[in-house]
Amino acid sequence: MHLNPFDLSGKVALVTGANTGLGQGMAIALAQAGADITLIGRSEPTETLKHIAETGVRAHSIRADLSNSDAVADIVAEAVSELGRADILVNNAGIIKRNEAIDFTPEEWDAVMNVNLRSLFFLSQAFARHLVTESKSGKIINIASMLTFQGGIRVPSYTASKSGVGGLTKALANEWAAHGINVNAIAPGYFATNNTAALQADKKRNAEILGRIPSGRWGKPSDMAGAIVFLASPASDYVQGVTLPVDGGWLSR
Ligand code: NAD
């Protein structure tokens, strides 16, 4: 029995796209719960590293551009060689392209699918191969969206990718639960980050969105803390294949 089932001391968490936004909030939360952190992204996550250092855990950052899934090849090996192990993978990196479906281009389609779904799958595969080879248990947490459940407007590739994340979370849980790997997802509602800058700036859409959120405000990256620590910790060992909304009640309306 764990005295504190949310304690992540001695674990190493890999978080993609953690230089800003939700990834930064989740990386800090995992560090506060005791995990050492490997940050994976295109640029040096200076601010996130500073916050993690304040918690006293170790951190390492890996440069990788996840628009090409070949970039995932060495990530898990480097994480293990730097911090000694890899127990938790948070697939957070994601992008969005807004355009009418009638005008949507193959480039807009591929750019989103490559980061949000293809690299997410192949990084999860590399991580699971490592755990299975070492006979170790682990946790994968994918970042989904309200558009895992809903259709959205002017974001067809984003909706397809995030709906895919929901399905893939279940598919991977079905295959990897037997290896002691939990695969779950978090569906953030409307959070104030770069990803939603265009929506926040659009007065009409901003008011419509706020009007539908029972909690009455946009989410903050720190609102992801409880859910990510839960799904990364022994507290969720018998939770498999779920997509947990953290949405201020948006989906309940
Ligand atoms: P953000 O733009 O602040 O963060 C996205 C992160 O992904 C950044 O760190 C960025 O550098 C990284 N990234 C993008 N392309 C990459 C690439 N090619 N290689 C490596 N890293 C790359 O936005 P955010 O809102 O924090 O988004 C984080 C995740 O949460 C995304 O998957 C997004 O779809 C999802 N999400 C956000 C909201 C919201 O309201 N903000 C809602 C639902 C889901």
Side-chain angles (χ1 to χ4, degrees):
M1 193 186 95
H2 297 276
L3 290 178
N4 175 359
F6 301 102
D7 183 16
L8 300 180
S9 307
K11 305 286 187 193
V12 172
L14 284 59
V15 185
T16 65
N19 58 328
T20 61
L22 303 187
Q24 181 179 71
M26 291 188 286
I28 294 168
L30 293 168
Q32 287 170 338
D36 294 324
I37 310 290
T38 297
L39 302 167
I40 300 149
R42 288 171 300 185
S43 54
E44 187 65 6
T46 314
E47 194 184 296
T48 311
L49 284 169
K50 187 172 144 278
H51 289 299
I52 292 174
E54 287 162 4
T55 70
V57 303
R58 296 179 301 154
H60 174 67
S61 74
I62 296 178
R63 291 286 68 73
D65 180 353
L66 298 172
S67 61
N68 182 342
S69 62
D70 293 347
V72 309
D74 303 323
I75 289 174
V76 178
E78 181 175 339
V80 172
S81 95
E82 287 295 326
L83 293 179
R85 50 193 296 150
D87 307 279
I88 299 155
L89 170 65
V90 182
N91 283 307
N92 166 75
I95 60 169
I96 192 163
K97 299 277 182 197
R98 297 178 192 279
N99 196 358
E100 309 287 329
I102 204 101
D103 296 325
F104 220 73
T105 66
E107 290 74 24
E108 288 167 327
W109 180 269
D110 288 345
V112 172
M113 295 300 274
N114 283 344
V115 179
N116 294 15
L117 198 52
R118 188 178 166 93
S119 289
L120 177 148
F121 172 72
F122 284 104
L123 184 55
S124 300
Q125 183 192 60
F127 178 74
R129 281 179 178 168
H130 164 73
L131 293 175
V132 170
T133 305
E134 303 272 315
S135 299
K136 288 185 173 154
S137 59
K139 305 273 184 178
I140 297 175
I141 302 111
N142 297 321
I143 302 308
S145 165
M146 293 296 95
L147 302 190
T148 302
F149 306 102
Q150 302 177 301
I153 304 165
R154 301 182 70 249
V155 286
S157 59
Y158 187 80
T159 303
S161 72
K162 294 297 185 177
S163 298
V165 167
L168 191 58
T169 298
K170 290 183 270 194
L172 299 182
N174 290 342
E175 291 200 36
W176 296 343
H179 295 287
I181 303 171
N182 294 79
V183 188
N184 292 293
I186 299 173
Y190 285 81
F191 279 67
T193 67
N194 299 334
N195 184 291
T196 54
L199 287 180
Q200 295 169 64
D202 181 333
K203 268 194 166 167
K204 184 167 168 282
R205 288 287 287 133
N206 194 343
E208 283 168 2
I209 287 166
L210 278 178
R212 190 191 148 146
I213 302 174
S215 292
R217 63 171 176 82
W218 287 74
K220 307 185 291 285
S222 60
D223 288 317
M224 297 288 281
I228 192 68
V229 171
F230 169 59
L231 291 176
S233 74
S236 61
D237 278 352
Y238 200 59
V239 179
Q240 282 288 9
V242 301
T243 298
L244 172 64
V246 176
D247 66 350
W250 172 273
L251 285 179
S252 303
R253 287 290 290 268

